[in-house]
Amino acid sequence: MANAYIMCARRRSGDSFSNEPGPLRYLKVPDAVLAGYDASHIVANPREWAAEVQGLADGDENPNSIAPKGDVLVFIHGYNNSIADVLRRTRQLARDLKAEGWHGQVVAFDWPSANQTLNYIEDRWDGSEVALTLVTKALKLLSEGQTGPVKCETNVHLIAHSAGAYVTMEAFVQAEKRGELRNSPWRIGQVAFIAGDVSSGSLSENSDWCKPMFDRIMRLTNYYNPFDAALAVSNAKRLGVAPRAGRIGLPGDVTRKAVDVNCGPYFRDLPPDPDFGGISWTHSWYIGNRVFARDLAMTLEGAIDREAIPTREKNDGKLVLIDQPRPKFQDQWGIKETAKFEKARIS
């Protein structure tokens, strides 16, 4: 039976978890549990939890990935996510990626976002606080694995939805303020923002806020949707002065480490899923959509140039999401073998 692996930054209240920030705990939730996790799912030893996740990832090597071993994807959700929502969406993301040929382990970072639509002020306050937790616990654990005597070769990626993009960027900023992390050569592979609720300008090459993130990652892929109604509300709260990256895309002066994928033309003709259980269809449709999952899978694998991924086409110089299959003979390209050979050659 499969398990869901969760890093929980919610405060414990008896056997349950609340909507307030608390110490980070590591959970393993059996597939049969649907309503949400509780304290019975806590794994007492964080390093044992991390070793189990790494072992699952490394035991499921992706033949299409350039990672020398396995891949782990950490899902950082946005506002208005209950514990049941986080569990459901984490499992859905894992199923989508597996169905599209991705091998690896999906892990959730669950932080306490208020269960009200766009409770902006409270979510931002909590988001800043849990970014410290993401750094001092989760990223520190990752850093120790990459720089210790037995080096961890598992490739770790991040996907952040909505206000999760804020938590992610703030986490990298906080990491630079802590000597043991700032002076350690830890890294993250791919980072994906979906419906990112951060200002487009904050991702400018001249932005001090995004620099710590770009210094540690291989690439940022910003998936955006001009039809995102939730981000229109978010933008209106700021009187329209800070358009969101998840609605209009990246600024013109962005580092080469970042790439935009416009999902608007694809989304425009996409019928809403009658079984969709999210907050806003225009804002949260990505998880549960197989075309998006296919593009994300090839992005995480890193083997195909960002402008040649088949689920993208150029439209007026911009990359646009389209429904196309993987390359027909990709599984015969020997990508994993090439990655391992090149790693041995240059070490």
Side-chain angles (χ1 to χ4, degrees):
M1 183 177 291
N3 298 300
Y5 291 84
I6 312 284
M7 296 179 285
C8 174
R10 298 174 186 262
R11 183 183 301 167
R12 181 175 174 179
S13 177
D15 289 334
S16 303
F17 292 92
S18 73
N19 237 342
E20 299 296 329
L24 193 68
R25 292 180 171 87
Y26 301 83
L27 297 93
K28 181 168 69 172
V29 187
D31 194 48
V33 175
L34 302 178
Y37 60 77
D38 58 37
S40 69
H41 302 122
I42 295 173
V43 176
N45 189 322
R47 286 182 173 79
E48 287 182 5
W49 181 95
E52 187 168 327
V53 169
Q54 179 187 336
L56 288 168
D58 290 349
D60 187 25
E61 289 189 13
N62 189 340
N64 295 321
S65 172
I66 62 171
K69 288 289 186 69
D71 292 270
V72 172
L73 176 63
V74 180
F75 168 49
I76 305 167
H77 65 78
Y79 69 87
N80 193 23
N81 276 245
S82 68
I83 287 174
D85 288 335
V86 173
L87 202 52
R88 175 179 56 81
R89 301 184 78 212
T90 301
R91 287 167 171 162
Q92 183 67 59
L93 179 60
R95 286 194 298 267
D96 294 342
L97 286 168
K98 183 177 182 180
E100 292 301 334
W102 188 75
H103 298 233
Q105 187 67 36
V106 177
V107 171
F109 178 79
D110 181 17
W111 61 285
S113 60
N115 197 20
Q116 299 174 28
T117 301
L118 280 172
N119 191 345
Y120 176 77
I121 295 175
E122 182 177 342
D123 276 357
R124 272 296 187 266
W125 181 267
D126 288 352
S128 182
E129 187 170 344
V130 298
L132 292 172
T133 302
L134 178 58
V135 166
T136 58
K137 301 295 183 182
L139 292 187
K140 189 169 186 289
L141 192 65
L142 167 64
S143 170
E144 290 170 351
Q146 289 182 345
T147 60
V150 180
K151 297 274 193 305
C152 166
E153 294 183 308
T154 309
N155 217 11
V156 177
H157 316 281
L158 306 177
I159 180 169
H161 176 244
S162 189
Y166 172 89
V167 173
T168 300
M169 290 178 66
E170 184 64 20
F172 283 97
V173 171
Q174 296 301 327
E176 288 304 296
K177 296 179 181 178
R178 283 157 174 73
E180 74 276 17
L181 286 169
R182 181 180 62 251
N183 300 322
S184 177
W186 61 276
R187 64 170 183 81
I188 296 293
Q190 301 284 342
V191 175
F193 285 175
I194 52 177
D197 191 8
V198 293
S199 71
S200 177
S202 69
L203 293 163
S204 162
E205 192 166 19
N206 297 318
S207 166
D208 291 335
W209 192 38
C210 72
K211 186 177 185 302
M213 179 179 69
F214 283 120
D215 285 347
R216 296 283 184 180
I217 70 173
M218 181 180 297
R219 173 158 296 127
L220 168 70
T221 302
N222 181 57
Y223 295 92
Y224 71 99
N225 177 19
F227 301 101
D228 192 320
L231 289 183
V233 176
S234 182
N235 190 36
K237 284 178 176 282
R238 303 168 185 83
L239 301 180
V241 297
R244 316 319 282 164
R247 183 172 164 87
I248 70 163
L250 298 169
D253 59 336
V254 71
T255 171
R256 282 284 300 165
K257 280 191 173 184
V259 62
D260 254 339
V261 178
N262 182 358
C263 300
Y266 171 75
F267 175 83
R268 182 181 56 213
D269 298 321
L270 186 68
D273 182 353
D275 297 323
F276 179 70
I279 314 123
S280 162
W281 171 248
T282 63
H283 188 59
S284 304
W285 63 275
Y286 301 88
I287 295 178
N289 182 273
R290 291 277 296 275
V291 174
F292 164 74
R294 194 178 313 141
D295 189 280
L296 177 63
M298 288 184 278
T299 296
L300 298 175
E301 290 161 0
I304 303 175
D305 185 81
R306 57 187 179 176
E307 299 203 0
I309 290 176
T311 43
R312 302 173 186 177
E313 68 178 5
K314 277 283 186 73
N315 188 337
D316 291 332
K318 302 292 182 66
L319 291 174
V320 174
L321 184 70
I322 60 172
D323 185 358
Q324 288 293 322
R326 279 180 178 268
K328 186 174 182 180
F329 299 107
Q330 187 180 13
D331 60 351
Q332 299 176 33
W333 291 355
I335 293 169
K336 179 67 74 176
E337 292 76 10
T338 301
K340 289 183 176 181
F341 174 80
E342 289 298 314
K343 180 182 181 300
R345 184 178 65 83
I346 63 178
S347 359

